[in-house]
């Protein structure tokens, strides 16, 4: 029944339904018929912003249906909260610090790393995608030609979007085209890559096109102003999440109409957190904690279960292989950091299913440019139990990019503008310090009591920080993270491949009119800022 509280979010309540039992034929059915896989990935959507998690100002009936008829996960994490590295992790099953150039944003995808969709194709799956696949970045084959990491693209069908800032891609119609083209005797894998709720948004679309009110928003983090502009921005974000969900609903209906819903594993999640200050591109709870629901009507017993195991995006690739009956050791892929969670899908249990799934690692190197020499902001962290521990390896750098070049690792937005103006006008500097100011070498947060990670407890619990730091370091060394061996500068040397913004800092500071289209002109600080 309904009523389980969302961990760390006492104002939200999970929707959960428990019924059914595992059928005796489950294992033989899995062996006889490989399932299809529909992987649905929103762009910049944070946990717990779905109505299945009890969020009252975002309505997601498609996601809710997948959860009700499958499993709702409460602890799914991307290890790197930015588009390209997060997607690289999904496709390779490795953490980003194991992926050379692909640890960074806007990179050259390393030829040496085979991806799971290529393996599925080799083993008979028909693979396709619509919308945003892997990227931004460049993937090339040994001959220097484009390497289609996600099979054939289906993007010809367009529609009139509800706002000019939403993609014209008719995702559901393109999925229908894929279903028409796929061979009848082959299983398939389809990647639905929405570009929503990525910015930009049409301001006030969430108010004007939905009938919602500003008072419907019941959550404002303590590091943003609580005013009409920020609430409007959140409702605009909600409107684009709902657009992603509407196409998901249509895709589920298509699967029902074609008789393929029964043996299709439907996975719904997001690549990284919401495009707001201190979230996307950082390593806090809202940055890396993702919505996740999975439906497989033929394969999941007790639909409506809520599972609290920690799931990493590195776990997707090995899960896909096991679903397809492919031996990972013989796949040609590099060794996985993640591990399959098919046992959780097949389990009858709720809550914590596998006690060993008690933590995940997070981290980053370079995302967007805007610091001298295109430097990044290296972080590693571990999320275990109630704790999030972070180690900032270059605390002298600006975590969201330099102020004079517009804080380029934070998308332009009304909320960002409000935070910046509050400091410039001497109304409030605390928002700016939390979102853009420099950080200490170590951070520790109790995310159950403080899910927004607004109170650093590093001085109050030094023994917890030491224990987590030691555990994190040991695992990173086992995974071969170059930064653990004094070789972290390798990540600084990988080129940022977009020529329009390479060496942005030096070019901008020399007076060149170089543009970064993802931030607002007003984001650039007109007067140099010291570490206040």
């Amino acid at each position: 029944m309904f009523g389980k509280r969302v961990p760390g979010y006492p104002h939200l309540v999970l929707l959960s339904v428990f019924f059914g039992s595992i059928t005796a034929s489950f294992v033989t059915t899995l062996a006889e018929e490989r399932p299809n896989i529909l992987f649905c990935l929103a762009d910049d959507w944070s946990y717990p912003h779905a109505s299945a998690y009890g969020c009252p100002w975002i309505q997601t009936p498609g996601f809710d249906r997948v959860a009700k008829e499958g499993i709702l996960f409460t602890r799914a994490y991307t290890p790197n909260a930015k588009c390209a590295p997060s997607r690289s992790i999904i496709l390779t099953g490795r953490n980003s610090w194991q992926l050379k150039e692909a640890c960074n944003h806007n990179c050259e995808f390393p030829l040496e790393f085979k991806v799971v969709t290529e393996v599925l194709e080799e083993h008979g799956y028909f693979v396709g995608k619509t919308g945003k696949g892997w990227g931004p970045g460049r993937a090339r084959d040994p001959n220097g030609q484009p390497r289609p990491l996600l099979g054939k693209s289906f993007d010809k069908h367009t529609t009139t979007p509800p706002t000019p800032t939403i993609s014209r891609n008719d995702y559901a119609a393109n999925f229908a085209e894929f279903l028409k083209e796929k061979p009848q005797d082959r299983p398939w894998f389809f990647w639905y890559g929405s570009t929503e709720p990525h910015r930009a948004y049409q301001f006030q679309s969430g108010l004007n096109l939905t009938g919602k009110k500003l008072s419907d928003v019941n959550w404002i983090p303590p590091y943003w102003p609580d005013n009409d502009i920020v609430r409007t921005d959140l409702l605009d974000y909600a409107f684009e999440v709902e657009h992603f969900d509407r196409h998901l609903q249509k895709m589920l209906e298509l699967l029902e109409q074609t008789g393929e819903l029964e043996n299709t594993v439907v996975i719904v999640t997001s690549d990284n957190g919401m495009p707001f200050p201190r979230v996307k591109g950082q390593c806090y709870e809202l940055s890396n904690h993702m919505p996740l629901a999975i439906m497989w009507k033929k394969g999941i017993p007790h639909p409506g279960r809520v599972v609290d195991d920690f799931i990493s995006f590195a776990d997707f690739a090995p899960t896909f292989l096991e679903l397809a009956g492919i031996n990972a050791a013989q796949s040609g892929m590099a060794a996985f950091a993640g591990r399959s969670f098919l046992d959780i899908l097949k389990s009858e249990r709720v809550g914590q299913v596998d006690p060993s799934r008690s933590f995940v690692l997070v981290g980053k190197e370079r995302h967007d440019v805007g610091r001298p020499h295109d430097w990044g902001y290296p972080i590693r962290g571990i999320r275990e139990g109630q704790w999030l521990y972070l180690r900032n390896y270059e605390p002298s750098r600006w975590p969201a990019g330099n102020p004079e070049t517009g804080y380029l690792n934070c998308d332009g937005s009304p909320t960002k503008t409000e935070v910046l103006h509050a400091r410039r006008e001497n109304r409030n500097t605390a928002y700016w310090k939390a979102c853009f100011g420099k950080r200490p070498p170590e951070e520790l947060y109790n995310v159950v009591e403080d899910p927004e990670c607004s109170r650093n407890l590093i001085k109050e619990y030094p023994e917890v920080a030491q224990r987590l730091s030691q555990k994190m370091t040991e695992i990173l060394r086992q995974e071969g993270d170059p930064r653990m061996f004094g070789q972290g500068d390798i990540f600084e040397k990988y080129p940022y491949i977009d020529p329009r913004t390479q060496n942005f800092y030096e070019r901008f500071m020399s007076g060149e009119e170089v543009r970064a289209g993802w931030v607002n002109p007003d984001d650039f600080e007109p007067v140099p800022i010291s570490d206040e």
Side-chain angles (χ1 to χ4, degrees), residues 484-528:
M484 299 303 104
F485 301 93
Q487 301 167 357
D489 61 338
I490 187 64
F491 297 110
E492 311 280 9
K493 297 175 181 177
Y494 293 131
Y496 185 90
I497 66 163
D498 187 344
R500 297 171 299 176
T501 48
Q502 283 176 344
N503 302 311
F504 186 95
Y505 183 88
E506 286 76 15
R507 292 162 63 190
F508 180 85
M509 297 303 289
S510 69
E512 181 180 344
E513 291 188 7
V514 56
R515 302 295 183 191
W518 62 93
V519 296
N520 299 327
D522 190 51
D523 292 352
F524 295 76
E525 296 290 0
V527 178

Side-chain angles (χ1 to χ4, degrees), residues 36-37 125-126 175 178-179 182 187-190 255 260 264:
N36 309 309
I37 301 171
Y125 272 71
F126 183 61
F175 179 51
F178 168 85
L179 292 176
K182 70 174 181 61
W188 51 263
F189 177 101
F190 189 79
L255 290 174
E260 299 206 51
T264 297

Side-chain angles (χ1 to χ4, degrees), residues 278-439:
R278 198 178 161 91
V279 184
K280 179 183 176 182
Q282 302 305 317
C283 287
Y284 297 117
E285 183 74 354
L286 285 166
S287 311
N288 298 79
H289 195 177
M290 296 293 100
L292 176 63
I294 301 178
M295 171 201 290
W296 182 15
K297 297 180 79 66
K298 182 175 281 191
I300 290 179
H302 289 316
R305 286 186 288 131
V306 177
V307 168
D308 299 326
D309 294 52
F310 281 90
I311 302 293
S312 167
F313 275 22
D315 298 332
F316 282 129
T319 303
F320 296 158
L321 291 190
E322 188 172 9
L323 282 165
I326 300 170
N327 186 312
Q330 299 174 355
S331 67
M333 297 181 69
F336 294 135
R339 56 194 174 103
S340 171
F341 55 83
L342 181 58
D343 58 328
I344 293 177
L345 302 186
K346 294 162 59 176
S347 171
E348 300 184 35
R349 298 180 60 188
V350 300
Q352 186 79 38
V353 177
D354 180 353
S356 70
R357 288 186 173 274
S358 59
F359 69 94
V360 291
L361 298 183
V362 300
K364 56 178 280 194
E365 286 290 337
R366 184 184 64 232
H367 287 166
D368 288 312
V369 290
R371 299 183 191 87
H373 315 294
D374 285 350
W375 282 336
Y377 192 84
I379 305 174
R380 299 292 185 272
I382 183 169
R383 172 73 174 86
E384 181 180 60
Q386 70 204 69
W387 301 106
L388 172 64
Y389 168 81
L390 300 175
R391 176 75 166 89
N392 301 310
Y393 289 91
E394 297 288 348
S396 64
R397 299 179 187 174
W398 295 97
N402 279 49
E404 60 271 28
T405 48
Y407 312 94
L408 292 188
N409 203 37
C410 179
D411 298 348
S413 69
T415 299
K416 181 179 181 181
T417 298
E418 284 294 290
V419 170
L420 296 180
H421 280 220
R423 186 201 67 83
R424 293 174 192 167
E425 297 164 9
N426 295 316
R427 290 186 282 110
N428 185 299
T429 61
Y431 302 140
W432 177 88
K433 288 181 180 179
C435 294
F436 302 112
K438 293 183 180 179
R439 298 171 185 163

